[in-house]
Amino acid sequence: MSSLIRRNPKRSGTQTILLVILACLPGFVALSWYFGWGVFLNVFICVISSTIFEAIAISFKKKLPYYCLKDFSTLLTAVLIGLSLPPLCPWWLPIIGCIVAILIGKYAYGGFGASPFNPAMVGYVTLLLCFPFLMSQWVAVDAPYSNNIQHPTLIKSMAIKIGNLQQFDGITGATPLEVFRQNNGLLVHQLYSEKKIFSQSGWAGVGWEWVNLGFLLGGLFLVFSKIISWHAPTGMLGSITILSLIFWDSGSSASLGSPIFHLFSGATMIGAFFIITDPASSTTSTEGRLAFGVLIGALVFFLRGWSDYPDGLAFAVLIANFLAPTIDKYVVITADSDK
Amino acid sequence: MLTIEEFTYLIIVASLSNNYVLVQTLGVSHSIRLPYNTEVVHAIAVVTTSVMMISAGISHCFETIILGPLQLVYLRTLSFMLLIFTVIMFHKYFIKKYKVLTDKFFNVFFPLLFSNSAILGIALHNSQNVTSVFQAMSHGLGAGVGFSIVLISFANIREKITGPHIPLHLRGAPIALITIGLISMAFSGFRGIV
């Protein structure tokens, strides 16, 4: 955080975080447009529960709970968890994520600005490992267009979250990355024409392209108003682009997807502009941030291509957080000694 | 002989998706309780990797040439321990002869190698899973690389997890174990990568 304040002497840390939360808005609107009320409910549950757990954690430190609300870092963590969860997951899933993120990811390390790991990703990875089935139940965005099924209303979404997802069969479907992961033997252009999630879309899967464009818009706002530095996002997006070009394989059945597909699907943009730019858990130097971004992009691409998880961004972020002090130590020293 | 595919496969499996410290939880204490400076950490990483590779090869040879034909496989653990001890003593001899490390660290450094369970773990794991001595050695090399990644990165992240900002009851070993647990969760993302 200190590096951010130094960059912008006119703005306090609290204002910076509020602006970051505000910049999530285009992506949030796009997510809500395509995935229904569940996104809003997730963010709402996350904000309420993480504020409560933050107050509990602060009370252990013998401070007034007011301190937890003074900086809005918890709010940012909660918003990021809420945006990355499947929209119609049960109500207790965001709460468990917030418990882990706030108590273990943040306060076990001494609170805001001290954690070596991104708290939101700690919570998300825990959920991904403990509840793999529930975490893969994304709402099918192609269904409402093809079969004239409408998104569940607010009341119905709440009923789904409190009750059982199974009784609303046909709501969930595979994400574009899962479709690519489960592809056996189809050429890419066949895949694009057969699967509705691609054929009804512009370039990277129904809904997901607009969600990622929304986050890109918010991220560009943050970069141009000098709230985040451009190094880490550029490194990550650049390495994803180059690696997917190398493994594009001219659209054969072994292709891992085009660069535009990788840039605009899954969690690429929210990761590049909102998650990996967290100053506490990333590297401290600017050269290091570039290397940090490149490392995350490479890990994301390889985990998407070969691991069991279709979108490995959370794992990639945690691994890079672990390697960040090492990057700082080696990359920066060599960069300085060249001068 | 060993093909390049086999070699890459074994290195990736042993260092990332099946990392001995993070996934199989062997040698955890050695990777997290080293308060030494960077050079010593590098030396430990290199020597441990070398010991892992050589002892994996020798123990595989010993099992296929002596223990297997004589039907003494039940002596595997005991004989592997003796073999590893011998390999470590050879390393100690050469390091002392060529004065690679200073004596100050020498006395604390080698007892740590003897008690590293990952070295024995590799030898025992190899006896069921590999077919040639080259495979055994590249598996040992991959495991050593994975161990070194964790060791060096953890030595560097140590600054962030020590100090007065950590809650009183979590200082020291507890926060180190929480950290290694979180990293272990992160490495489980590599599952299925080969």
Side-chain angles (χ1 to χ4, degrees), chain A residues 3-22:
Chain A
S3 58
L4 282 191
I5 295 167
R6 218 182 308 129
R7 284 175 63 87
N8 304 287
K10 287 178 194 164
R11 253 183 236 121
S12 71
T14 312
Q15 284 173 324
T16 312
I17 293 180
L18 273 178
L19 279 175
V20 174
I21 294 173
L22 204 66

Side-chain angles (χ1 to χ4, degrees), chain A residues 264-332:
Chain A
F264 288 96
S265 64
T268 310
M269 290 300 172
I270 188 176
F273 290 102
F274 294 92
I275 294 171
I276 75 168
T277 48
D278 171 30
S281 58
S282 89
T283 53
T284 49
S285 62
T286 36
E287 302 96 335
R289 281 199 186 150
L290 204 58
F292 183 76
V294 170
L295 176 70
I296 290 183
L299 280 172
V300 165
F301 186 78
F302 282 110
L303 291 178
R304 275 182 185 175
W306 287 285
S307 84
D308 286 353
Y309 297 95
D311 197 357
L313 184 107
F315 295 107
V317 170
L318 282 192
I319 292 168
N321 286 162
F322 173 50
L323 297 176
T326 315
I327 294 173
D328 257 343
K329 196 157 194 168
Y330 297 103
V331 174
V332 179

Side-chain angles (χ1 to χ4, degrees), chain A residues 217-262:
Chain A
L217 197 71
L220 287 179
F221 161 70
L222 290 180
V223 170
F224 282 115
S225 54
K226 300 214 158 134
I227 289 171
I228 58 175
S229 71
W230 56 270
H231 299 83
T234 312
M236 175 176 164
L237 299 180
S239 72
I240 285 185
T241 312
I242 291 171
L243 280 171
S244 48
L245 264 181
I246 293 173
F247 287 94
W248 163 236
D249 203 13
S250 66
S252 73
S253 58
S255 170
L256 294 176
S258 64
I260 201 99
F261 167 71
H262 274 284

